[in-house]
Amino acid sequence: MIWSLVIYGICYIASLVLLWMYYKFVDTKKFENKWKKRLIKFLCLSVAIMPLVLLATFRFETGSDYYIYDRFYKLNEQHGVEYFLTSNGTGNISELLFWGTLETARVTFGSLQAFFFIASFLTLFIVILALDKYKNKINVCAGFAIFLMLLYPTSYNIVRQIIGVAIIAYGYHFIHERKILKYIICVLLASLFHGSAIFCLIFLALVDLKNKKAEKIRDFIIYTFVLLAPLLMPVVLDVFGDIPFFHKYFTVYDIEYASRWGLLLKKIPIIALAILYLPKFRSNIKWAKMYAQLLIMEVAACFVAFYSQWGFRIMYYMDFAQCIVVPLILKIENNKKRKIILIVAITLYYVGYYIYTFMIKGQEQVFPYKSIWSMS
């Protein structure tokens, strides 16, 4: 277990240092040719994430769904991608980009590791591009570090959904920029990796309305819904559960399944922090309000997980907001003593969250780490 932590730690630190070096020494330079700048950016960011990509690529029996993807790959190898689009396969024609990625891995390098490489590279690269949109407002390295604590281990399990999460994360800036069509395109692309991404259309409710009265009414409805979520969720889920497309996402839990309140309690510290700084966001940084509201809405998503077998998956799309909100809070906090306290408290929170969730509870089965070279 300790050696696994050392391996993860070395790769985490290596990627964060390389990312810091890019933003410190390369991104600040001026380039006359914009295509040259884009090429250098692509190469530098690719190098920065490579330790993490290779770690995910060469794993063996690491990640809850490892053998599910192993089975998908072998079935694809035997029958071709068309198999998955029939009733004999998964019958899931909607996730074409996922099956396309699987097929690309087969025809290029002919191994499951090629699929993990492509999936991990796409996820991490898109996440950094999403953070890069706010590089003048937040510390990108801090945001990426939070992603590594929260969602990188999860990418070893729900591989295709995490690609969708990354695409939605990139699309969030289109909401506060009022580029609705571009956000919808991001949702559709994400849903071609994992159908649950279609739920993210609901986040269009957070668009800047340009009308203070209308915005106050919208905010009142959102906060009221969050407060009443424990009472409303059974009714809402019954309604959506009758719709064929949503049925599989709204299966009722068995009474003994999952530590539901623990799920909510783990989220409360960061959600409370977002609420505390919400007035400052509202008055000074309007786009940040959207991310804070995403975290507040996660309370309602927690209650979805109380009743729905797949409800917790909706929360992954909201979790990314922490990667923006937390570094922004640290950036705008002017009181030096308070900032130091925040840095220490937030660091302890995420380290504690990582150790408890992934090491002690064994969630996502990323500990112990095993590589393909440890195969007997």
Side-chain angles (χ1 to χ4, degrees):
M1 185 76 76
I2 298 299
W3 279 113
S4 296
L5 184 61
V6 170
I7 292 169
Y8 283 119
I10 290 172
C11 291
Y12 279 26
I13 292 169
S15 281
L16 288 170
V17 169
L18 289 168
L19 191 63
W20 174 82
M21 289 174 67
Y22 166 73
Y23 281 104
K24 180 72 173 178
F25 302 110
V26 181
D27 188 62
T28 52
K29 288 186 176 181
K30 293 183 179 180
F31 295 87
E32 293 182 5
N33 189 317
K34 67 177 182 179
W35 292 106
K36 181 180 179 181
K37 182 177 181 179
R38 288 174 181 176
L39 177 61
I40 291 173
K41 182 175 185 176
F42 173 79
L43 293 174
C44 289
L45 294 183
S46 297
V47 170
I49 64 174
M50 201 49 62
L52 299 168
V53 172
L54 294 178
L55 191 66
T57 298
F58 295 114
R59 60 192 166 102
F60 173 68
E61 292 184 337
T62 304
S64 308
D65 285 357
Y66 179 89
Y67 278 110
I68 291 178
Y69 287 99
D70 182 57
R71 179 170 62 87
F72 281 159
Y73 181 81
K74 287 176 180 176
L75 286 171
N76 181 52
E77 198 172 38
Q78 293 170 7
H79 303 287
V81 71
E82 296 85 0
Y83 172 81
F84 294 102
L85 308 181
T86 66
S87 57
N88 293 324
T90 66
N92 195 346
I93 196 170
S94 64
E95 297 173 352
L96 281 174
L97 286 181
F98 164 65
W99 306 120
T101 305
L102 205 63
E103 179 68 4
T104 301
R106 185 188 71 81
V107 299
T108 52
F109 296 99
S111 69
L112 178 64
Q113 280 65 49
F115 167 72
F116 287 145
F117 178 90
I118 296 169
S120 185
F121 184 88
L122 282 174
T123 299
L124 296 174
F125 194 84
I126 297 171
V127 163
I128 291 180
L129 290 183
L131 294 168
D132 186 73
K133 290 291 179 181
Y134 305 96
K135 64 182 179 182
N136 295 323
K137 300 293 183 181
I138 68 169
N139 185 311
V140 173
C141 294
F144 191 58
I146 291 170
F147 176 85
L148 296 181
M149 294 291 104
L150 280 178
L151 293 171
Y152 178 73
T154 305
S155 72
Y156 281 38
N157 177 15
I158 52 171
V159 179
R160 52 185 170 154
Q161 187 184 353
I162 286 296
I163 300 174
V165 169
I167 295 170
I168 294 297
Y170 181 81
Y172 281 145
H173 77 277
F174 291 130
I175 297 178
H176 63 75
E177 291 174 1
R178 296 175 60 84
K179 297 177 180 177
I180 307 303
L181 181 59
K182 289 185 178 181
Y183 177 73
I184 291 173
I185 291 172
C186 285
V187 172
L188 293 177
L189 283 173
S191 67
L192 290 175
F193 281 101
H194 199 274
S196 64
I198 205 72
F199 289 111
C200 296
L201 287 173
I202 197 172
F203 301 146
L204 284 172
L206 301 178
V207 70
D208 185 2
L209 297 177
K210 298 295 184 181
N211 182 301
K212 288 188 177 181
K213 187 175 180 180
E215 199 163 291
K216 284 181 180 179
I217 294 171
R218 187 272 311 277
D219 292 349
F220 176 78
I221 293 171
I222 290 173
Y223 300 144
T224 301
F225 182 80
V226 169
L227 289 171
L228 297 179
L231 301 175
L232 294 175
M233 279 307 159
V235 178
V236 172
L237 297 181
D238 280 345
V239 172
F240 279 94
D242 291 334
I243 302 172
F245 179 84
F246 297 116
H247 179 71
K248 68 176 179 178
Y249 295 109
F250 295 132
T251 306
V252 177
Y253 272 127
D254 292 329
I255 193 67
E256 298 297 328
Y257 195 92
S259 178
R260 302 164 188 171
W261 285 106
L263 180 68
L264 180 59
L265 289 172
K266 283 195 295 184
K267 305 288 183 181
I268 283 179
I270 300 300
I271 294 172
L273 192 63
I275 293 172
L276 187 64
Y277 279 82
L278 185 59
K280 190 172 288 190
F281 293 159
R282 191 184 291 117
S283 59
N284 300 324
I285 316 169
K286 287 208 73 175
W287 59 264
K289 176 188 170 184
M290 182 202 77
Y291 283 103
Q293 288 180 323
L294 272 174
L295 292 180
I296 293 169
M297 289 171 68
E298 195 167 4
V299 174
C302 282
F303 284 106
V304 174
F306 274 41
Y307 301 99
S308 165
Q309 188 173 9
W310 297 100
F312 63 91
R313 296 232 178 175
I314 301 170
M315 297 166 64
Y316 294 132
Y317 297 102
M318 301 176 180
D319 277 338
F320 177 79
Q322 296 187 38
C323 303
I324 302 293
V325 170
V326 174
L328 182 62
I329 287 172
L330 295 176
K331 188 82 177 252
I332 65 174
E333 179 54 66
N334 295 320
N335 185 295
K336 189 175 181 180
K337 186 177 180 180
R338 197 179 297 150
K339 180 177 282 192
I340 292 172
I341 293 171
L342 277 172
I343 290 172
V344 172
I346 288 168
T347 301
L348 290 175
Y349 169 81
Y350 283 112
V351 171
Y353 178 93
Y354 185 91
I355 292 172
Y356 175 74
T357 303
F358 303 115
M359 293 184 68
I360 296 175
K361 286 190 67 179
Q363 193 169 307
E364 317 300 1
Q365 295 179 19
V366 292
F367 283 92
Y369 177 85
K370 290 192 286 184
S371 73
I372 57 173
W373 295 287
S374 64
M375 297 166 60
S376 56

